[in-house]
């Protein structure tokens, strides 16, 4: 499964109703200035946990790419929060 698109604020997506694994992701700054971005895993009613460094800073056109695998328990959500326009691509197995 792939979650991809563009956001200028935040995107919230349920991963799956079974345990899953994020196998890679990329984040690309699409604005004319620097932005910050953080990806979180969220369990409903519980605090979010960051899987990227908190507020990764991306210069104009810069990308943040990771192939670090992250296990995601069933019924959790991915929340991507950014301060500007961002393309995102998350591969989930």
């Amino acid at each position: 499964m792939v979650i991809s698109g563009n956001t200028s604020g935040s995107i919230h997506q349920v991963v799956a109703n079974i345990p899953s694994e994020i196998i890679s992701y990329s984040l690309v700054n699409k604005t004319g200035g620097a932005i910050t971005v953080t990806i979180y895993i969220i369990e409903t009613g519980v605090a979010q946990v960051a899987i990227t460094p908190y507020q990764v800073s991306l210069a104009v056109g810069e990308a943040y790419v990771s192939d670090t695998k992250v296990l995601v328990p069933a019924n959790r959500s991915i929340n991507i929060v950014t301060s500007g326009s961002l393309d995102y691509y998350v591969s989930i197995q």
Side-chain angles (χ1 to χ4, degrees):
M1 175 168 80
V2 170
I3 298 170
S4 63
N6 179 277
T7 186
S8 294
S10 67
I11 183 77
H12 185 82
Q13 175 71 44
V14 174
V15 176
N17 61 358
I18 59 172
S20 304
E21 183 177 41
I22 296 173
I23 56 175
S24 67
Y25 56 88
S26 65
L27 310 166
V28 180
N29 180 355
K30 301 295 284 187
T31 61
I35 64 169
T36 59
V37 61
T38 307
I39 299 179
Y40 299 96
I41 301 296
I42 300 175
E43 179 181 1
T44 303
V46 179
Q48 55 193 10
V49 176
I51 63 169
T52 59
Y54 182 68
Q55 294 188 340
V56 172
S57 182
L58 298 177
V60 176
E62 186 177 12
Y64 182 87
V65 178
S66 177
D67 61 359
T68 301
K69 293 175 178 37
V70 178
L71 294 176
V72 181
N75 301 312
R76 301 308 196 274
S77 300
I78 294 174
N79 191 27
I80 301 173
V81 180
T82 181
S83 64
S85 182
L86 174 84
D87 283 351
Y88 57 91
Y89 191 94
V90 182
S91 297
I92 301 168
Q93 190 170 357

